[in-house]
Amino acid sequence: MASLRELGLRDSPGEVILSTLNPDSSPHAAAVGVRARGEEEVEMLLFHPSVSLSNLRREGEGVLNVTDDVSLLVRVGLRNLLPPPRLEFLPSALLRTPRLGGMRGYAYLRVREVEEREVEDELGTSTASRVLCRAVGVEVVSPGVKPFLRSEFFLLEAAVKASRILVARERGMKVRRMVEELRRLVEECLRLAPSSGEAETARELLEAVERRVGMW
Ligand SMILES: Cc1cc2nc3c(=O)[nH]c(=O)nc-3n(C[C@H](O)[C@H](O)[C@H](O)COP(=O)(O)O)c2cc1C
């Protein structure tokens, strides 16, 4: 079996499509962030209420579908806002839960543990369940596959902001607000993936910009 790392999963969340089985055996798909926990386990945090969570609890299994199509991921994640995409469900060799066609890789999961917890964030207090699963199979369709990592997007946006700050500075413009925006992008990158390479680069980038513009 290929490894979760080969599927591009790490200890910071990667955004994938989770397929599960509804009570009538029809398939369900949702966008979720998932982290690798060691070599064989993955963890996700599902906010209540969630069809995926009920399905995982009842069936004890699900499939992670790794896509490189960001529009598809967003449309699956925002079905109540955008027209739903057409999804092709295909049988999985290892589980009853089907996988999605056209994906770059798959992880076939059996649920190990579901633990309810309260989550505090900008929305206040929410109830969520941390779902720990064991990967009973991993399939890499495209070598080099990896899920979308929000931390990478924040670093990329931070880099673009930093380069614009340097130009603005050269032109003698005020950069305080742009540096504030840069700080927010960097903080979000650090929050999402604190021990990642992106976080290290983002931290270094912010310090370098602050030094250059003479704010510190
Ligand atoms: C990119 C993306 C990532 C998401 N990640 C999560 C997640 O990690 N946990 C979660 O509960 N909902 C997440 N959502 C929202 C769900 O996909 C979904 O819209 C909602 O939670 C309902 O889930 P359900 O279909 O299981 O009922 C995400 C949405 C998007 C667009």
Side-chain angles (χ1 to χ4, degrees):
M1 152 172 128
S3 71
L4 291 169
R5 307 281 153 189
E6 282 171 83
L7 201 56
L9 296 179
R10 333 186 295 180
D11 59 1
S12 47
E15 308 303 316
V16 304
I17 301 174
L18 170 69
S19 48
T20 53
L21 269 185
N22 290 319
D24 64 0
S25 293
S26 62
H28 179 75
V32 296
V34 61
R35 301 163 189 265
R37 286 285 179 241
E39 298 303 310
E40 285 193 350
E41 292 182 327
V42 299
E43 182 186 292
M44 51 195 126
L45 189 66
L46 297 176
F47 286 87
H48 297 194
S50 159
V51 173
S52 305
L53 177 62
S54 316
N55 288 348
L56 286 171
R57 273 184 192 282
R58 192 186 54 259
E59 301 294 327
E61 59 167 67
V63 179
L64 297 183
N65 302 270
V66 183
T67 181
D68 59 0
D69 181 342
V70 72
S71 292
L72 180 73
L73 182 72
V74 166
R75 285 180 185 281
V76 170
L78 297 173
R79 276 186 320 262
N80 46 4
L81 190 67
L82 301 173
R86 275 177 59 86
L87 298 174
E88 182 196 12
F89 288 96
L90 303 172
S92 304
L94 289 166
L95 300 175
R96 288 180 62 227
T97 308
R99 64 196 167 99
L100 285 173
M103 298 289 116
R104 299 298 178 185
Y106 305 92
Y108 301 96
L109 307 180
R110 284 207 194 279
V111 177
R112 252 204 174 151
E113 210 176 281
V114 180
E115 178 198 83
E116 205 169 295
R117 57 170 65 168
E118 302 287 290
V119 177
E120 301 279 347
D121 61 15
E122 63 191 0
L123 299 177
T125 308
S126 312
T127 309
S129 286
R130 168 187 165 274
V131 183
L132 185 70
C133 300
R134 188 166 70 85
V136 292
V138 175
E139 205 178 323
V140 171
V141 177
S142 313
V145 54
K146 66 188 183 73
F148 291 102
L149 298 170
R150 292 177 60 205
S151 52
E152 289 185 341
F153 289 100
F154 278 103
L155 173 58
L156 202 56
E157 286 304 313
V160 171
K161 186 68 71 183
S163 69
R164 294 175 63 81
I165 289 171
L166 298 184
V167 174
R169 181 80 174 168
E170 266 173 32
R171 294 184 182 173
M173 295 163 69
K174 288 211 175 87
V175 294
R176 182 166 285 274
R177 226 187 69 211
M178 290 174 82
V179 174
E180 273 312 313
E181 287 165 1
L182 171 66
R183 223 172 261 141
R184 268 197 296 279
L185 293 167
V186 168
E187 277 164 12
E188 201 53 16
C189 178
L190 300 185
R191 184 186 70 77
L192 285 162
S195 53
S196 64
E198 299 92 87
E200 199 182 317
T201 306
R203 208 177 286 121
E204 213 178 308
L205 175 72
L206 178 60
E207 283 167 11
V209 167
E210 286 176 341
R211 267 200 310 276
R212 179 68 67 88
V213 302
M215 290 181 81
W216 261 264

